[in-house]
């Protein structure tokens, strides 16, 4: 049976180059933030290196994979099946790649929405995913949040989540209850 690393590498190697670049940049930043904040670097890099393995699947494949793994498809995911790519990646990592580290699985599962009890690995992945150099290039207004992530990761996370909340409101999209709960938790800290 191939190793977990080999199964992951095979899937990664079949992704399109721009997605590979995003994953690699996210992994580098996750490693840097992990070091700064004293979080397990290997765990953060593994979460970052695997978080988007299903990001580029078309809608029908997202739905099919969610059904295969018994992942609930709520109203929000039904409208935007791409949002299932985190839970699908986590289920795939556990079932097909034999990855058992719950910190990695939870961080990957909830990297688009966040979750109310988010841990340090989840925070590092969320920050790195949204603040890697490609994202800063696309939206330079994120640069102050990237700098803030080095000193106050919770505040940086809150600002990113609030940005997401506002963007959803502007587009008339529903915000995931996990995102709302996480915003409230971070505000009350
Ligand atoms: Fe993603
Ligand atoms: Fe990503």
């Amino acid at each position: 049976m191939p190793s977990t690393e080999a199964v992951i590498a095979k899937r990664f190697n079949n992704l399109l180059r721009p997605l590979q670049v995003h994953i690699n940049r996210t992994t580098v930043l996750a490693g840097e933030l992990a070091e700064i904040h004293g979080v397990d670097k290997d765990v953060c890099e593994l979460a970052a290196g695997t978080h988007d393995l299903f990001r580029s699947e078309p809608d029908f494949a997202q739905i099919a994979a969610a059904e295969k793994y018994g992942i609930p498809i709520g109203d929000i995911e039904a409208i935007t099946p791409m949002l299932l790519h985190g839970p699908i990646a986590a289920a795939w990592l556990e079932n097909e790649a034999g990855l058992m580290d719950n910190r990695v699985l939870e961080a990957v599962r909830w990297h688009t929405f966040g979750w109310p009890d988010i841990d340090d690995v989840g925070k590092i992945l969320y920050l790195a995913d949204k603040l890697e150099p490609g994202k800063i290039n696309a939206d330079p207004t994120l640069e102050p949040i990237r700098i803030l992530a080095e000193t106050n990761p919770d505040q940086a996370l809150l600002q990113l989540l609030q940005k997401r909340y506002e963007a959803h409101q502007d587009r008339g999209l529903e915000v995931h209850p996990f995102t709302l709960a996480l915003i409230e938790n971070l505000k009350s800290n």
Side-chain angles (χ1 to χ4, degrees):
M1 204 180 123
S3 68
T4 296
E5 291 73 19
V7 176
I8 291 169
K10 187 176 174 202
R11 174 132 200 122
F12 177 86
N13 289 336
N14 283 322
L15 299 176
L16 292 174
R17 188 68 194 144
L19 185 53
Q20 291 181 337
V21 170
H22 163 66
I23 291 172
N24 287 339
R25 285 170 166 168
T26 303
T27 303
V28 170
L29 182 54
E32 289 171 3
L33 289 172
E35 272 193 354
I36 290 170
H37 297 298
V39 183
D40 191 316
K41 190 178 177 187
D42 291 343
V43 173
C44 290
E45 287 180 344
L46 183 55
T50 55
H51 79 286
D52 269 350
L53 288 175
F54 287 79
R55 174 65 180 78
S56 57
E57 293 292 302
D59 285 356
F60 75 87
Q62 302 277 0
I63 298 289
E67 284 172 351
K68 175 183 171 187
Y69 292 120
I71 296 164
I73 302 169
D75 292 347
I76 295 174
E77 294 89 341
I79 291 168
T80 314
M82 179 275 289
L83 293 171
L84 292 162
H85 76 277
I88 290 168
W92 180 87
L93 286 166
E94 190 173 3
N95 289 287
E96 321 294 342
L99 197 153
M100 294 299 164
D101 189 326
N102 261 318
R103 294 169 298 175
V104 175
L105 296 175
E106 288 297 280
V108 169
R109 181 173 288 120
W110 299 115
H111 78 267
T112 33
F113 297 125
W115 78 103
D117 302 322
I118 192 167
D119 65 1
D120 288 343
V121 177
K123 287 177 186 175
I124 298 279
L125 174 57
Y126 196 98
L127 292 168
D129 183 28
K130 303 293 183 291
L131 298 171
E132 55 90 349
K135 299 289 176 75
I136 305 285
N137 279 342
D139 179 4
T141 69
L142 290 171
E143 177 64 6
I145 305 182
R146 188 195 65 74
I147 294 167
L148 184 62
E150 295 177 357
T151 53
N152 192 336
D154 278 6
Q155 194 56 37
L157 180 58
L158 179 57
Q159 290 191 15
L160 285 175
L161 290 164
Q162 282 174 326
K163 253 182 180 285
R164 183 183 177 89
Y165 176 83
E166 284 159 20
H168 274 61
Q169 295 278 68
D170 289 349
R171 288 156 60 202
L173 291 170
E174 196 182 335
V175 180
H176 195 278
F178 275 17
T179 308
L180 295 173
L182 177 55
I183 287 173
E184 288 314 307
N185 285 354
L186 289 166
K187 273 187 190 167
S188 60
N189 278 347

